[in-house]
Amino acid sequence: MTRSWAEMMTGIAERLQATTGDDVATWNERVRGTGLETEPELRAWLAERGITGYAQMMLVMERFGHPDFLTASADELVDAQYADRPALRPVYDSVVAAALALGAVHVQARKGYVPLVGPRRTFAVLQASTKGRVDLGLRLEDREPGGRLLPARSVGNRDCAVRVALTSVDDVDDEVRELLAEAYRENL
């Protein structure tokens, strides 16, 4: 199951209410009452009240507008990533199928990449990095680049230390499935 930004925003709103005791509508009313006109001013005001991270991002977007990618469905986001590289979509689908077979996994579509999230945190990221390659970033703390494992300099999530370059479905072999499973287990 792939979750869109809109679905993730629901979870962020729930956490905001759980941590502050107030819902998004109440915070939106407070924000309007400040008269603040710039994003930096609003971010500073929210930070002074202990609202940071995703909750802050959400309230800033509530005030200044949501980008188009937040209103797109998860399928629309993934389709857009592979629109100009249709030969790579089966590679993406193969990795997602392998990840979903591992257990409790959420596929969270973003504008430019797709995190694979286990019960605790993101364990892998898929990114169509070029027109001929999908990078599978892996959150493997003790793994160094070597062999098929390459440095993950700019693969979606900064927490991925290594990546595997995939150019065809044949590249999603037993070794890649085992690396994916290792990243899943390590991040439970």
Side-chain angles (χ1 to χ4, degrees), residues 136-151:
L136 171 61
L138 298 164
R139 188 176 194 157
L140 292 168
E141 302 294 327
D142 296 326
R143 287 296 197 113
E144 296 292 327
R148 288 178 76 182
L149 290 177
L150 305 168

Side-chain angles (χ1 to χ4, degrees), residues 32-113:
R32 279 190 303 276
T34 66
L36 298 173
E37 294 295 323
T38 69
E39 185 175 323
E41 290 174 325
L42 178 56
R43 286 187 179 281
W45 183 84
L46 290 167
E48 288 170 3
R49 283 146 187 82
I51 299 174
T52 59
Y54 285 125
Q56 184 181 99
M57 174 196 71
M58 180 185 58
L59 291 172
V60 167
M61 287 187 291
E62 288 281 315
R63 167 64 178 88
F64 295 107
H66 292 268
D68 290 342
F69 71 87
L70 284 180
T71 59
S73 72
D75 289 336
E76 290 169 334
L77 292 170
V78 173
D79 288 347
Q81 290 176 32
Y82 293 90
D84 64 345
R85 50 199 97 193
L88 292 179
R89 181 62 186 259
V91 176
Y92 165 86
D93 291 335
S94 181
V95 173
V96 168
L100 292 174
L102 296 171
V105 173
H106 291 285
V107 181
Q108 296 183 343
R110 304 280 199 273
K111 183 177 180 181
Y113 63 97

Side-chain angles (χ1 to χ4, degrees), residues 172-186:
V172 187
D173 57 12
D174 288 341
E175 180 184 7
V176 167
R177 284 189 286 278
E178 179 49 41
L179 287 166
L180 193 61
E182 182 182 337
Y184 177 77
R185 288 188 304 269
E186 188 174 303

